[in-house]
Amino acid sequence: MAETMTTLSEPILEQLQQQDKFVILNTIDSETGSITSSAISWITPHSPSKLRVAIDARSRLIANVKADKRVTLSLFAAGSFYAVQGTASVVQDRLEEVPIKLACLEIEVEAVRDAMYYGARVSALPEVEKTYDKRAADKLDAQVFAALQKA
């Protein structure tokens, strides 16, 4: 079994800095107590032990994190699949200089585990295709990532 890390490795940091990436953010639903999963693309490392995430300010994820700070991020990187456990908090209710209402979550990394099953390697990363105006999407992405750095 792979050793548990307490910070993000260089390959994971590199994957999180790619333009077209996504992670799965798992939270505990504030109303039902069930585990919820959401695909997130606006995520950036703030340091090897902190991540920043932009989400719709009206999202249930905000209430979930306020009720129970425990989260798990799942992502593909370096030929494997990783589970990043940590605690999240809302650091800004509204990101400035972004034309849509987004909140900023900060996740303190507590444990990073290689969650790929034994004897397998991820040979190709999942590809995500944006279904709206590419130029507008690229502009919004740049605004969001700049705001996450300032948050």
Side-chain angles (χ1 to χ4, degrees):
M1 177 174 262
E3 188 176 317
T4 300
M5 302 177 286
T6 57
T7 60
L8 301 168
S9 67
E10 194 59 39
I12 294 173
L13 289 168
E14 288 174 12
Q15 180 61 33
L16 289 170
Q17 292 168 344
Q18 297 298 314
Q19 184 173 358
D20 292 322
K21 79 314 198 152
F22 77 96
V23 302
I24 304 299
L25 177 61
N26 302 291
T27 62
I28 306 296
D29 188 275
S30 62
E31 293 178 14
T32 67
S34 298
I35 298 169
T36 65
S37 298
S38 301
I40 305 289
S41 65
W42 287 326
I43 181 168
T44 189
H46 191 63
S47 73
S49 61
K50 277 187 189 170
L51 296 165
R52 295 241 172 110
V53 178
I55 57 171
D56 187 314
R58 301 163 298 176
S59 172
R60 282 181 67 128
L61 294 173
I62 301 292
N64 293 353
V65 165
K66 286 181 176 180
D68 190 330
K69 295 181 178 302
R70 295 175 299 168
V71 299
T72 300
L73 285 169
S74 303
L75 70 139
F76 296 97
S80 199
F81 182 73
Y82 291 90
V84 179
Q85 295 173 316
T87 54
S89 59
V90 178
V91 293
Q92 278 192 357
D93 291 317
R94 173 79 199 267
L95 284 173
E96 297 186 26
E97 301 175 21
V98 177
I100 59 177
K101 293 179 181 177
L102 298 176
C104 177
L105 296 181
E106 186 168 86
I107 299 170
E108 291 278 343
V109 174
E110 295 172 354
V112 182
R113 291 182 178 82
D114 186 332
M116 190 67 190
Y117 55 89
Y118 179 76
R121 178 168 170 46
V122 175
S123 58
L125 294 176
E127 289 186 32
V128 177
E129 182 179 334
K130 293 181 180 158
T131 58
Y132 57 102
D133 183 294
K134 171 108 171 82
R135 195 174 72 219
D138 290 345
K139 181 179 178 183
L140 180 59
D141 285 351
Q143 292 170 324
V144 170
F145 286 116
L148 283 174
Q149 291 300 324
K150 291 179 184 177

